Every structure is written in C-alpha cells, then in structure tokens.
Amino acid sequence: MIRLKRLSAALQSAYPDADAMLITHPVDVRYLTGFTGSNAAVVLRLQRPGNARRHSRLSKPVLFTDGRYIQQAKQETKYAGVVIAQGPILREACASMVSAGVRHCAIDAEHTTVATLDGMRRWIPSKQRRGFFQPVLPVAAGLREIKDAEEIGRLRAAAKLGCELFEDSLTQIEPGKREVEIAAHLEFAARVAGAEGMSFETIVASGPRSALPHGPATEQRMPRRGFVVLDFGVLLGGYCSDMTRTVHLGAATTAERDAYEAVLEAQLAAIAAVRPGVPCGEVDEAARRVLRRAKLADFFTHSTGHGVGMEIHEGPRIAAKQQQTLKPGMVITIEPGIYLPGPFGIRIEDMVLVTRGGAEILTPATKAWIEL
Ligand code: ZN
Ligand code: ZN
C-alpha cells in the first residue's frame, strides 16, 4: 500500500490534472500489486479533494486480467481488487474509468504502443475522448529506483547466487571449450539453484572477442591464452543480479596485467565515490579519471553503470554529466571496462547498494587477478 500511496503522490506532483493512472508495464504491475501474470492492467483512481483537503484520496486500485489467471490473481494480488475481463482487458479498464467519471488518465509513455493507444481511444466516448489519455514519463519506474528492505534482501540473494555461479564457472573455463558451453553450464546451475531465468543474455567473450563490450557467448573456442569476460545475471525472486569478472587463460603479458590493474583501480575509485548526495556524473568521472591517467580512457566507451532491480537496466544512469544524485536504497552497478580492438577487453562489474554512510558491495566475488 505504501508503494501505491507513493505512486499517487508522485503522479499528483508531476501531473496534477490526472485523476487516474493506467499501469500496464508488467514489472510495475508486479511491483504495485504482487501479480506476476503476463496480461494485466491496473487502474489507479485519485478522488479529487474538496477545498479543505490538500491531498487526493486514493480509491482501491483494480487489477484487470483474463480468465487464465483466475486462481493466480486471487493468490498473488495484494492491495487491489481483481476483475477477470471477458474481452480485452484494456477495454474493461477503459469502461471502468468512463463509468467512474475519470476525465484525465495518465498512461505510461514508454510502454504504450501507438496501436494500443489508438485502440483505447476508441473505447472512450467521443465527447470525453479529447485529452482523456495523457502520456506521462514512467512514474512507477522512478519510485522503483529506491529499494525497500525486502527488495534489498532479494537483490542481495540474487547477487550472492551470481557470485556462487561465478566461482563454479571457474572450474569450467579452459582452452578449447566453446563459449556457449560455459554459458550453458552457468545457466543450468542458475535454474537448479532456483533462479527463474537469466536477467539478460549471458556474455562469455574470450580472446579477441573480449574486446566486444557486449559479446554474447558463441561457438568460438577459448584460446590457449587471453582474457575471458564473463558478464551475467540471474533473475531470482523477481529481482535481477548483474556482475562481470575478467579472467586470463595462460600467462599474461605485462601490458595485460597493467591494463587489468588500471580497470580495477578505476572500478574501486568509482565505488569509493558512491555515497548519498553525490551526482551520478561524479561517480562516472571517478572511474574515467583513473583510466585517463593510465592513458586508457579512450577505450572506455560506455557509461560506468546503471540502476538494477526488477529490471536489469533501471535508473539512475551512472554516466558522464548526470546530475541526478544518489540516495540511500539505490542499487547500482559499477562496471568500467576498456576495449582495445584486436588485442583484448577487460570489464569488472559489481552491484553496489547506496547506504546512509556510503556504499556496500553486494557482489563479493574476488576481483584479484585470476590466471587459469
Ligand atoms: Zn553486466
Ligand atoms: Zn550492468
């Protein structure tokens, strides 16, 4: 209920005209009601206050879903009424708003297609249609940036499983083995350990492929010597983990060792910069500064990190010049990397919780040099 209250407060301050909100992004539906089905919409109505009251009252939200989810909706849905729609769920959701006298409904501009919006407009009587739907920037996604204690517990568990899987993968990495075999072993172990799935396509990038910032596992056989970048995450209890480690097969050159140390130093510097009140751009700059000193900054071609939670990429963005400040309860990744086309790439990524006093690393797997 706290989440719904926070959502209505956020909606009111950003879009005071809206007297209802339609939530259709499945992750937001789950966040607000607990329902995990694939076809659902939530109507949240705000009753306009009388003159004396400052805040709108929130009427009980209603979740619309279809007949496949009768049992599941009853079991999972908290803080919302459930309507099993006979036809399209959005048609029933629209009809309920019209009959409740809604005039301006906020809809998620990022997750509503043009076709969906066209269809919904037709379900609103023509006299009320003009200005009925107001596309707004995702309000729920903004709330999800700050995790509560339960969410932090789940992210901690997902991150811990990720670290265990990494340790296990080390026994699998050897010259001649295909990258997909490492990914398959890791993903099988993740499911056996209880993960619902992976939070994104597992990256196993070996040898020259390590220079691809995003190199999903391929049929490529691992070389006798060279870097192997492992970047992967599990989805556990509805929450994503995300971590990267780079290990080396065979003996490394001094240049390779030095480059690894520089990336690690950059990663530690960025983590050291994490604390409440700090603009995200400063955290990014802390990593970039170290790599500039090592004359490697030109090869650091992406941002330093991102928020992570129910989705693998959430706010805030940890990137150059980002003014948004860190707040306690945010969980972000810190993942500087360098990519030297031809020779090799290196990336090191942790999940970090912003605490009142600074930062806590949720992915304790070692970052020391590993030579296999
Ligand atoms: Zn990652
Ligand atoms: Zn990441």
Side-chain angles (χ1 to χ4, degrees):
M1 203 60 196
I2 289 170
R3 292 177 184 176
L4 288 160
K5 280 189 179 147
R6 283 178 60 213
L7 178 66
S8 65
L11 178 67
Q12 255 192 300
S13 69
Y15 304 97
D17 282 352
D19 50 4
M21 185 174 197
L22 181 65
I23 295 132
T24 49
H25 185 36
V27 167
D28 293 335
V29 169
R30 181 174 183 172
Y31 178 74
L32 294 167
T33 68
F35 181 66
T36 62
S38 63
N39 186 31
V42 175
V43 170
L44 190 66
R45 277 200 300 122
L46 303 165
Q47 288 168 348
R48 287 285 138 207
N51 292 341
R53 262 199 249 114
R54 271 187 59 235
H55 296 290
S56 294
R57 278 212 332 270
L58 182 65
S59 60
K60 193 176 184 185
V62 180
L63 177 117
F64 296 82
T65 184
D66 65 61
R68 293 171 297 167
Y69 293 114
I70 295 175
Q71 295 298 329
Q72 192 181 328
K74 263 189 228 153
Q75 282 163 9
E76 292 181 339
T77 308
K78 287 179 272 187
Y79 318 121
V82 174
V83 170
I84 304 296
Q86 301 306 316
I89 58 165
L90 290 175
R91 189 175 70 197
E92 291 218 14
C94 288
S96 83
M97 287 192 280
V98 169
S99 63
V102 167
R103 283 177 304 163
H104 301 297
C105 170
I107 56 170
D108 185 334
E110 252 181 37
H111 298 100
T112 307
T113 66
V114 173
T116 299
L117 182 54
D118 274 352
M120 289 199 301
R121 278 209 180 101
R122 281 198 287 274
W123 292 323
I124 306 299
S126 50
K127 271 187 282 179
Q128 287 151 265
R129 203 173 286 162
R130 201 185 161 84
F132 188 91
F133 291 111
Q134 300 190 342
V136 301
L137 293 174
V139 184
L143 299 187
R144 288 197 283 108
E145 288 182 359
I146 309 234
K147 276 72 180 174
D148 62 27
E150 188 202 327
E151 294 185 287
I152 291 167
R154 290 186 186 215
L155 283 162
R156 207 185 280 285
K160 181 167 170 279
L161 175 56
C163 289
E164 288 162 8
L165 294 170
F166 168 69
E167 298 284 336
D168 183 43
S169 299
L170 291 179
T171 63
Q172 301 297 311
I173 297 174
E174 59 188 31
K177 228 180 209 176
R178 290 171 301 151
E179 292 170 351
V180 284
E181 290 179 72
I182 307 303
H185 178 91
L186 195 150
E187 291 176 10
F188 182 81
R191 291 303 301 267
V192 170
E196 291 113 74
M198 306 310 286
S199 52
F200 59 95
E201 195 176 9
T202 301
I203 290 174
V204 181
S206 65
R209 288 193 75 252
S210 62
L212 302 173
H214 192 91
T218 65
E219 294 288 320
Q220 166 107 25
R221 291 186 188 278
M222 280 179 281
R224 217 176 274 281
R225 59 166 308 285
F227 283 110
V228 181
V229 176
L230 272 180
D231 184 355
F232 66 96
V234 297
L235 184 61
L236 182 69
Y239 285 77
C240 298
S241 76
D242 188 7
M243 67 181 285
T244 308
R245 291 293 184 268
T246 303
V247 300
H248 200 274
L249 279 168
T253 63
T254 312
E256 286 170 331
R257 284 293 293 257
D258 289 350
Y260 185 89
E261 291 308 319
V263 173
L264 180 55
E265 196 190 326
Q267 206 252 0
L268 294 173
I271 292 173
V274 172
R275 64 183 172 279
V278 170
C280 294
E282 259 179 47
V283 176
D284 181 87
E285 176 55 23
R288 235 164 270 281
R289 196 181 299 128
V290 172
L291 292 172
R292 221 176 276 130
R293 232 173 22 226
K295 306 216 176 337
L296 290 168
D298 287 348
F299 304 107
F300 178 19
T301 48
H302 54 74
S303 56
T304 293
H306 53 87
V308 57
M310 296 177 84
E311 291 182 291
I312 184 64
H313 290 120
E314 305 186 342
R317 288 183 60 221
I318 315 298
K321 300 192 171 66
Q322 286 291 309
Q323 293 301 310
Q324 184 179 4
T325 56
L326 294 173
K327 294 191 180 67
M330 285 179 169
V331 175
I332 57 173
T333 68
I334 299 291
E335 52 179 306
I338 56 166
Y339 311 93
L340 288 76
F344 59 80
I346 298 163
R347 179 167 65 257
I348 304 171
E349 173 181 27
D350 280 320
M351 282 165 71
V352 172
L353 167 67
V354 184
T355 61
R356 279 176 201 287
E360 180 194 335
I361 296 173
L362 300 183
T363 37
T366 184
K367 292 179 277 191
W369 176 259
I370 294 176
E371 213 166 81
L372 297 168

